[in-house]
Amino acid sequence: MTPMSSLNRRLFGAALGLAPAAAAAAITVPRGTPAGDMALSKVTSEYMVFEDEDEAFRNHLRIERDLAETEGTTVTWYNWLAFVIPEGRQPFPLMRYEGMEYSYFRRLQGLEYRIHAHNLSYIRDLQTGRFADTIENPLTGKRVTTMPTVLLEDPGTLAAPRGFRNLRSDGKTYTQPFRSFRIQDDLVKLDSVRTAPPDWPVTHIENSCQWVKLSDFENPRITSLPTHFSGTYVFPYPKWLGMGDIKGHMLGFFDGRKLNGPADLPREFLERTAREYPELLRPRWQEFDTPLRF
C-alpha cells in the first residue's frame, strides 16, 4: 500500500524552495481566508495503491467483514430513505427502512472464502420514524399493508482475490468487484459496488462508501475493522406496494455501521426481531450443508 500524502507535501515544499518546517508554515491558511485564495487545500484526499490483488482483497475483507483464520460472522445495522422512481414522473421519498445484514463465512483454502448472508428490514414512517404497519401509496391513492423485507435466498459466493463466483453458477465465471481505496484526512475509505445474484431481478445494485480510522486500518492485529458506511441501493417495487402497471423502481439512500454482534442492535429493533424472527438473530450455518457444485 502506498499512500501519497507525505509525497505531495514534500513536493510542495520543494517547489517553493523551503525546508520542511517552513513548508508546513507556508501552507497554513489564516482564519477567514476565502476559499479561492487558498494556496493548497487543507483536506487530504488521495488514492491508495496496493502491491497486488491479495493485499487489496485482505483489506476489503477487513473492512466489509472479517479476515478470519477459519470462520467468522459480521452483523451490520442500517437505516435508509426509500424513494419511488416512477417512469416519466418526479421521484419522491415514500418511507424509511431499518434493517440488518447478518453474514457468516468460512475460509476454504488460501484466501478463498465461502460467504452466506441474510437480511431483515422493517418499514418506518417517513415523518415520525415509528414502525409502520400501513402506508399510503400516492401513485395509486390506496393505503397498503407493509411487509418486512426478509432476504434468505442469496445462494452465497466464493470470494477470492481473483473475484467472486456465485454458488448457483458452474463456477467458471468470476465477477470482478469494483473497489477503490482512498485516504481522506484521518480516514481510509473504500468505494465498492455489489451486484445481486444473477437470477434476481435485473433492477438490483448496491453502491457503498465504507470508512474506518486510518490508525485502525494500519493496525494489522485488527482483522475486523469498526466500519461505518453509506450508499445507494436500487431495487424493484416491492409487491406489497401494489404498483400494478406503473413502471419504475425504488432507490434507497442508506447509512449504517458494523456491530460487534446482534446484541448491539438498537433495543426496539432487537426486541421486535426477537419476537417475530428470532432465528435471524443467529448465523444460518446450515447454508454450508449444501455441497459446492464446483
Side-chain angles (χ1 to χ4, degrees):
M1 178 188 70
T2 309
M4 295 173 281
S5 57
S6 59
L7 173 63
N8 284 351
R9 284 193 291 270
R10 289 197 301 271
L11 291 176
F12 179 76
L16 296 180
L18 301 176
I27 63 173
T28 301
V29 179
R31 182 177 298 177
T33 301
D37 294 339
M38 291 183 180
L40 183 68
S41 171
K42 297 173 71 175
V43 175
T44 300
S45 181
E46 294 158 349
Y47 290 93
M48 302 172 68
V49 179
F50 290 92
E51 299 299 329
D52 54 43
E53 279 299 311
D54 286 4
E55 188 179 2
F57 178 78
R58 289 189 188 97
N59 285 299
H60 190 157
L61 207 60
R62 292 173 70 215
I63 289 176
E64 195 163 272
R65 291 185 172 87
D66 187 349
L67 188 62
E69 282 293 327
T70 54
E71 66 179 26
T73 63
T74 299
V75 177
T76 55
W77 166 72
Y78 48 79
N79 282 269
W80 46 301
L81 193 62
F83 282 75
V84 176
I85 313 292
E87 187 174 297
R89 307 188 197 186
Q90 184 176 7
F92 60 90
L94 179 66
M95 56 195 173
R96 298 179 184 274
Y97 277 95
E98 180 184 12
M100 70 166 187
E101 178 174 285
Y102 205 142
S103 64
Y104 18 95
F105 35 90
R106 286 177 177 165
R107 185 174 181 173
L108 302 184
Q109 58 183 354
L111 281 178
E112 186 170 52
Y113 287 78
R114 180 173 175 175
I115 301 172
H116 292 273
H118 62 260
N119 287 70
L120 170 65
S121 302
Y122 302 119
I123 308 296
R124 287 187 177 273
D125 181 82
L126 184 65
Q127 301 299 335
T128 68
R130 299 190 185 98
F131 285 133
D133 296 323
T134 65
I135 60 171
E136 183 177 347
N137 183 340
L139 294 182
T140 64
K142 296 180 180 179
R143 180 161 286 275
V144 294
T145 300
T146 66
M147 295 292 293
T149 298
V150 183
L151 301 179
L152 305 178
E153 302 303 321
D154 188 334
T157 58
L158 289 185
R162 183 176 173 182
F164 293 82
R165 290 183 287 170
N166 183 273
L167 294 186
R168 285 196 188 134
S169 69
D170 60 8
K172 296 178 181 178
T173 301
Y174 284 80
T175 300
Q176 294 296 333
F178 172 82
R179 58 173 166 244
S180 179
F181 294 85
R182 55 195 169 93
I183 296 177
Q184 182 175 308
D185 295 334
D186 61 345
L187 300 175
V188 171
K189 293 191 171 183
L190 168 63
D191 299 308
S192 61
V193 175
R194 184 163 64 169
T195 57
D199 51 349
W200 282 23
V202 166
T203 313
H204 263 109
I205 197 166
E206 178 182 324
N207 166 70
S208 67
C209 177
Q210 306 174 72
W211 62 88
V212 297
K213 291 182 179 179
L214 177 59
S215 57
D216 288 337
F217 185 85
E218 291 179 331
N219 184 347
R221 294 189 299 274
I222 303 177
T223 61
S224 179
L225 290 161
T227 305
H228 290 72
F229 55 82
S230 65
T232 57
Y233 183 54
V234 177
F235 61 109
Y237 294 140
K239 292 181 179 179
W240 56 261
L241 198 51
M243 283 299 193
D245 295 331
I246 300 174
K247 295 181 179 180
H249 58 272
M250 305 291 293
L251 174 66
F253 292 89
F254 61 83
D255 69 275
R257 55 173 293 193
K258 187 190 292 184
L259 305 178
N260 292 318
D264 285 352
L265 288 162
R267 184 176 64 180
E268 188 179 29
F269 183 95
L270 180 59
E271 289 177 351
R272 177 173 178 178
T273 304
R275 291 192 308 269
E276 300 180 17
Y277 301 97
E279 70 280 4
L280 298 186
L281 291 173
R282 299 184 294 272
R284 302 169 69 234
W285 291 114
Q286 65 270 25
E287 294 293 311
F288 291 84
D289 294 339
T290 303
L292 295 176
R293 298 169 52 181
F294 46 85

